Amino acid sequence: MNQEVSPINIVVLASGYGSNLQAIIDAINTNRLSARLTAVISDQKNAFALERAQRENVPAIYVNAGKKPDRIEFDRILLEALYGLKFELIILAGFMRILSAEFVERYHGCIMNIHPSLLPRHKGMNTHERVLRNGDEFHGATVHFVTPELDAGPIILQKSFRVAFDDTAERLKERVHECEHQIYPQAIQLFAESAISI
Ligand code: GAR
């Protein structure tokens, strides 16, 4: 890590298990990533990601948006949660909601996402199953800046591997996770070094 780089403040949004969040925490704790984790926010009360935050004494915030909030209403509540937090970058790490265009424009160039495919292939859900169905030779993960169009923002880093003949969707998920845990901290570090921007 470039020791000259002053740490950036990041907020992580996660809906589930949070293995990418953990990879980011580990990279910070081992000085591979010059960042401070300000808070973890989840739309799921029982997300294990929230527990990972608590273990690090980082504020773990559950955004209770009710049963079926529309995108605008959810983002209004999310903005409330973000209000007062210090951050230069919002990290989507398995955050399973689509943010409104208004929200994305507000934080233009300051939201990153990780996606379980080699974008622009396989935007959206069920990427591992689609890779198998298509007989793709390669699969992998992508870190990109978030723009209003889903999974279409500028690509920052990708890591790929050759699909094995006996790979299952579950095995592909594991292999993609291994790629993700490497490239997400690296991409955030590039941002901290001001080496990338939209
Ligand atoms: C990751 O594989 C990430 O790429 C994916 O969810 C998983 C979360 O895992 N994100 C999306 O599919 C977003 N469209 P994690 O909770 O263990 O980090």
Side-chain angles (χ1 to χ4, degrees), residues 22 25-26 29 37 50-59:
Q22 191 61 53
I25 290 171
D26 292 347
N29 290 346
L37 181 59
L50 290 175
E51 199 173 316
R52 294 185 195 270
Q54 284 163 352
R55 287 180 189 175
E56 297 294 313
N57 292 317
V58 166

PDB file of all heavy atoms in Angstrom, residues 22 25-26 29 37 50-59:
ATOM      1  N   GLN A  22     -16.208  -8.295   4.718  1.00  0.00           N
ATOM      2  CA  GLN A  22     -15.129  -8.847   5.544  1.00  0.00           C
ATOM      3  C   GLN A  22     -13.777  -8.700   4.843  1.00  0.00           C
ATOM      4  O   GLN A  22     -12.765  -8.382   5.496  1.00  0.00           O
ATOM      5  CB  GLN A  22     -15.411 -10.323   5.853  1.00  0.00           C
ATOM      6  CG  GLN A  22     -14.493 -10.902   6.908  1.00  0.00           C
ATOM      7  CD  GLN A  22     -14.639 -10.180   8.246  1.00  0.00           C
ATOM      8  OE1 GLN A  22     -15.740 -10.048   8.766  1.00  0.00           O
ATOM      9  NE2 GLN A  22     -13.535  -9.702   8.814  1.00  0.00           N
ATOM     10  N   ILE A  25     -12.724  -5.183   5.352  1.00  0.00           N
ATOM     11  CA  ILE A  25     -12.281  -4.987   6.744  1.00  0.00           C
ATOM     12  C   ILE A  25     -10.875  -5.581   6.923  1.00  0.00           C
ATOM     13  O   ILE A  25      -9.989  -4.941   7.501  1.00  0.00           O
ATOM     14  CB  ILE A  25     -13.276  -5.650   7.731  1.00  0.00           C
ATOM     15  CG1 ILE A  25     -14.600  -4.889   7.754  1.00  0.00           C
ATOM     16  CG2 ILE A  25     -12.679  -5.756   9.142  1.00  0.00           C
ATOM     17  CD1 ILE A  25     -15.720  -5.586   8.517  1.00  0.00           C
ATOM     18  N   ASP A  26     -10.676  -6.794   6.415  1.00  0.00           N
ATOM     19  CA  ASP A  26      -9.366  -7.456   6.561  1.00  0.00           C
ATOM     20  C   ASP A  26      -8.272  -6.653   5.858  1.00  0.00           C
ATOM     21  O   ASP A  26      -7.151  -6.545   6.373  1.00  0.00           O
ATOM     22  CB  ASP A  26      -9.411  -8.880   5.978  1.00  0.00           C
ATOM     23  CG  ASP A  26     -10.306  -9.799   6.798  1.00  0.00           C
ATOM     24  OD1 ASP A  26     -10.679  -9.428   7.924  1.00  0.00           O
ATOM     25  OD2 ASP A  26     -10.651 -10.885   6.280  1.00  0.00           O
ATOM     26  N   ASN A  29      -7.458  -3.731   8.038  1.00  0.00           N
ATOM     27  CA  ASN A  29      -6.751  -4.124   9.270  1.00  0.00           C
ATOM     28  C   ASN A  29      -5.326  -4.617   9.019  1.00  0.00           C
ATOM     29  O   ASN A  29      -4.521  -4.682   9.938  1.00  0.00           O
ATOM     30  CB  ASN A  29      -7.549  -5.194  10.015  1.00  0.00           C
ATOM     31  CG  ASN A  29      -8.824  -4.615  10.608  1.00  0.00           C
ATOM     32  OD1 ASN A  29      -8.969  -3.390  10.691  1.00  0.00           O
ATOM     33  ND2 ASN A  29      -9.754  -5.468  11.005  1.00  0.00           N
ATOM     34  N   LEU A  37     -13.695   2.550   7.830  1.00  0.00           N
ATOM     35  CA  LEU A  37     -15.088   2.126   7.661  1.00  0.00           C
ATOM     36  C   LEU A  37     -15.944   2.916   8.645  1.00  0.00           C
ATOM     37  O   LEU A  37     -15.842   2.743   9.858  1.00  0.00           O
ATOM     38  CB  LEU A  37     -15.176   0.615   7.922  1.00  0.00           C
ATOM     39  CG  LEU A  37     -16.535  -0.044   7.768  1.00  0.00           C
ATOM     40  CD1 LEU A  37     -17.100   0.140   6.363  1.00  0.00           C
ATOM     41  CD2 LEU A  37     -16.427  -1.538   8.102  1.00  0.00           C
ATOM     42  N   LEU A  50     -24.199  -6.943   9.240  1.00  0.00           N
ATOM     43  CA  LEU A  50     -24.356  -6.024  10.382  1.00  0.00           C
ATOM     44  C   LEU A  50     -23.560  -6.535  11.587  1.00  0.00           C
ATOM     45  O   LEU A  50     -22.950  -5.753  12.324  1.00  0.00           O
ATOM     46  CB  LEU A  50     -25.835  -5.864  10.744  1.00  0.00           C
ATOM     47  CG  LEU A  50     -26.688  -5.075   9.732  1.00  0.00           C
ATOM     48  CD1 LEU A  50     -28.158  -5.087  10.134  1.00  0.00           C
ATOM     49  CD2 LEU A  50     -26.182  -3.638   9.576  1.00  0.00           C
ATOM     50  N   GLU A  51     -23.566  -7.852  11.763  1.00  0.00           N
ATOM     51  CA  GLU A  51     -22.799  -8.432  12.867  1.00  0.00           C
ATOM     52  C   GLU A  51     -21.291  -8.237  12.651  1.00  0.00           C
ATOM     53  O   GLU A  51     -20.546  -7.951  13.588  1.00  0.00           O
ATOM     54  CB  GLU A  51     -23.122  -9.922  12.979  1.00  0.00           C
ATOM     55  CG  GLU A  51     -22.752 -10.465  14.347  1.00  0.00           C
ATOM     56  CD  GLU A  51     -23.229 -11.893  14.521  1.00  0.00           C
ATOM     57  OE1 GLU A  51     -24.384 -12.198  14.145  1.00  0.00           O
ATOM     58  OE2 GLU A  51     -22.428 -12.693  15.036  1.00  0.00           O
ATOM     59  N   ARG A  52     -20.861  -8.373  11.407  1.00  0.00           N
ATOM     60  CA  ARG A  52     -19.439  -8.151  11.109  1.00  0.00           C
ATOM     61  C   ARG A  52     -19.042  -6.725  11.486  1.00  0.00           C
ATOM     62  O   ARG A  52     -17.938  -6.487  11.983  1.00  0.00           O
ATOM     63  CB  ARG A  52     -19.168  -8.385   9.619  1.00  0.00           C
ATOM     64  CG  ARG A  52     -19.359  -9.820   9.162  1.00  0.00           C
ATOM     65  CD  ARG A  52     -18.947  -9.920   7.697  1.00  0.00           C
ATOM     66  NE  ARG A  52     -19.402 -11.133   7.057  1.00  0.00           N
ATOM     67  CZ  ARG A  52     -18.729 -12.280   7.011  1.00  0.00           C
ATOM     68  NH1 ARG A  52     -17.574 -12.384   7.614  1.00  0.00           N
ATOM     69  NH2 ARG A  52     -19.216 -13.328   6.376  1.00  0.00           N
ATOM     70  N   ALA A  53     -19.933  -5.771  11.229  1.00  0.00           N
ATOM     71  CA  ALA A  53     -19.656  -4.366  11.578  1.00  0.00           C
ATOM     72  C   ALA A  53     -19.532  -4.221  13.093  1.00  0.00           C
ATOM     73  O   ALA A  53     -18.579  -3.611  13.599  1.00  0.00           O
ATOM     74  CB  ALA A  53     -20.766  -3.470  11.043  1.00  0.00           C
ATOM     75  N   GLN A  54     -20.473  -4.809  13.810  1.00  0.00           N
ATOM     76  CA  GLN A  54     -20.470  -4.704  15.280  1.00  0.00           C
ATOM     77  C   GLN A  54     -19.183  -5.265  15.873  1.00  0.00           C
ATOM     78  O   GLN A  54     -18.625  -4.691  16.801  1.00  0.00           O
ATOM     79  CB  GLN A  54     -21.682  -5.421  15.866  1.00  0.00           C
ATOM     80  CG  GLN A  54     -22.951  -4.617  15.700  1.00  0.00           C
ATOM     81  CD  GLN A  54     -24.208  -5.445  15.876  1.00  0.00           C
ATOM     82  OE1 GLN A  54     -24.149  -6.668  15.978  1.00  0.00           O
ATOM     83  NE2 GLN A  54     -25.348  -4.787  15.896  1.00  0.00           N
ATOM     84  N   ARG A  55     -18.717  -6.379  15.299  1.00  0.00           N
ATOM     85  CA  ARG A  55     -17.463  -6.988  15.788  1.00  0.00           C
ATOM     86  C   ARG A  55     -16.294  -6.025  15.679  1.00  0.00           C
ATOM     87  O   ARG A  55     -15.310  -6.134  16.395  1.00  0.00           O
ATOM     88  CB  ARG A  55     -17.122  -8.228  14.956  1.00  0.00           C
ATOM     89  CG  ARG A  55     -18.004  -9.402  15.241  1.00  0.00           C
ATOM     90  CD  ARG A  55     -17.543 -10.550  14.356  1.00  0.00           C
ATOM     91  NE  ARG A  55     -18.464 -11.658  14.414  1.00  0.00           N
ATOM     92  CZ  ARG A  55     -18.371 -12.757  13.673  1.00  0.00           C
ATOM     93  NH1 ARG A  55     -17.379 -12.870  12.811  1.00  0.00           N
ATOM     94  NH2 ARG A  55     -19.239 -13.716  13.783  1.00  0.00           N
ATOM     95  N   GLU A  56     -16.380  -5.105  14.716  1.00  0.00           N
ATOM     96  CA  GLU A  56     -15.297  -4.130  14.492  1.00  0.00           C
ATOM     97  C   GLU A  56     -15.586  -2.813  15.207  1.00  0.00           C
ATOM     98  O   GLU A  56     -14.909  -1.816  14.963  1.00  0.00           O
ATOM     99  CB  GLU A  56     -15.141  -3.850  12.985  1.00  0.00           C
ATOM    100  CG  GLU A  56     -14.735  -5.038  12.163  1.00  0.00           C
ATOM    101  CD  GLU A  56     -13.337  -5.551  12.489  1.00  0.00           C
ATOM    102  OE1 GLU A  56     -12.416  -4.729  12.580  1.00  0.00           O
ATOM    103  OE2 GLU A  56     -13.182  -6.776  12.664  1.00  0.00           O
ATOM    104  N   ASN A  57     -16.640  -2.803  16.010  1.00  0.00           N
ATOM    105  CA  ASN A  57     -17.088  -1.571  16.672  1.00  0.00           C
ATOM    106  C   ASN A  57     -17.408  -0.459  15.677  1.00  0.00           C
ATOM    107  O   ASN A  57     -17.141   0.713  15.925  1.00  0.00           O
ATOM    108  CB  ASN A  57     -16.043  -1.075  17.677  1.00  0.00           C
ATOM    109  CG  ASN A  57     -15.923  -2.023  18.842  1.00  0.00           C
ATOM    110  OD1 ASN A  57     -16.936  -2.501  19.357  1.00  0.00           O
ATOM    111  ND2 ASN A  57     -14.697  -2.332  19.230  1.00  0.00           N
ATOM    112  N   VAL A  58     -17.965  -0.868  14.567  1.00  0.00           N
ATOM    113  CA  VAL A  58     -18.386   0.093  13.539  1.00  0.00           C
ATOM    114  C   VAL A  58     -19.917   0.172  13.608  1.00  0.00           C
ATOM    115  O   VAL A  58     -20.577  -0.866  13.753  1.00  0.00           O
ATOM    116  CB  VAL A  58     -17.941  -0.415  12.140  1.00  0.00           C
ATOM    117  CG1 VAL A  58     -18.634   0.346  11.029  1.00  0.00           C
ATOM    118  CG2 VAL A  58     -16.430  -0.325  12.013  1.00  0.00           C
ATOM    119  N   PRO A  59     -20.494   1.390  13.529  1.00  0.00           N
ATOM    120  CA  PRO A  59     -21.953   1.487  13.564  1.00  0.00           C
ATOM    121  C   PRO A  59     -22.622   0.591  12.517  1.00  0.00           C
ATOM    122  O   PRO A  59     -22.238   0.619  11.346  1.00  0.00           O
ATOM    123  CB  PRO A  59     -22.218   2.972  13.261  1.00  0.00           C
ATOM    124  CG  PRO A  59     -20.973   3.671  13.690  1.00  0.00           C
ATOM    125  CD  PRO A  59     -19.846   2.708  13.456  1.00  0.00           C
TER     126      PRO A  59
END
